[in-house]
Amino acid sequence: VTGASFVVFNGALKTSSGFLAKSSIVEDGLMVQITRETMESLRQALRDKKDFKITCGETDGGDVKEYVDICWVDNEEKTNKG
């Protein structure tokens, strides 16, 4: 679990790169590089207020995977008020 001050979603990852998606720490935030198709799905999930999971790692990387989970919460008292 990683806490971040901000998240950047970059939809320019090529499908030929060999990655499902890539995540990296930048300063005090998180950058997630995803394909154009995943970006379209993410946008739709945000519009519909649905949870969304991004699997990061190499396409043929085996069992080692990272996940970026976008979750909607019912109780906003525990979220960052800033």
Side-chain angles (χ1 to χ4, degrees):
V1 176
T2 301
S5 296
F6 64 90
V7 179
V8 175
F9 295 101
N10 178 342
L13 186 68
K14 304 284 185 204
T15 53
S16 61
S17 70
F19 286 91
L20 299 167
K22 292 168 133 182
S23 63
S24 56
I25 305 293
V26 287
E27 296 188 16
D28 60 342
L30 178 69
M31 180 171 66
V32 184
Q33 296 174 332
I34 56 179
T35 63
R36 182 177 177 189
E37 295 80 14
T38 304
M39 179 65 88
E40 290 172 10
S41 298
L42 172 59
R43 286 180 178 163
Q44 190 59 51
L46 291 173
R47 282 187 207 106
D48 296 341
K49 294 185 178 179
K50 303 234 180 210
D51 293 351
F52 193 78
K53 184 178 217 171
I54 300 170
T55 304
C56 300
E58 293 183 33
T59 307
D60 59 354
D63 293 336
V64 180
K65 299 279 188 246
E66 293 178 0
Y67 300 96
V68 176
D69 289 322
I70 296 124
C71 304
W72 292 88
V73 295
D74 294 326
N75 184 353
E76 295 184 17
E77 292 177 11
K78 295 181 182 178
T79 60
N80 183 354
K81 294 185 182 193

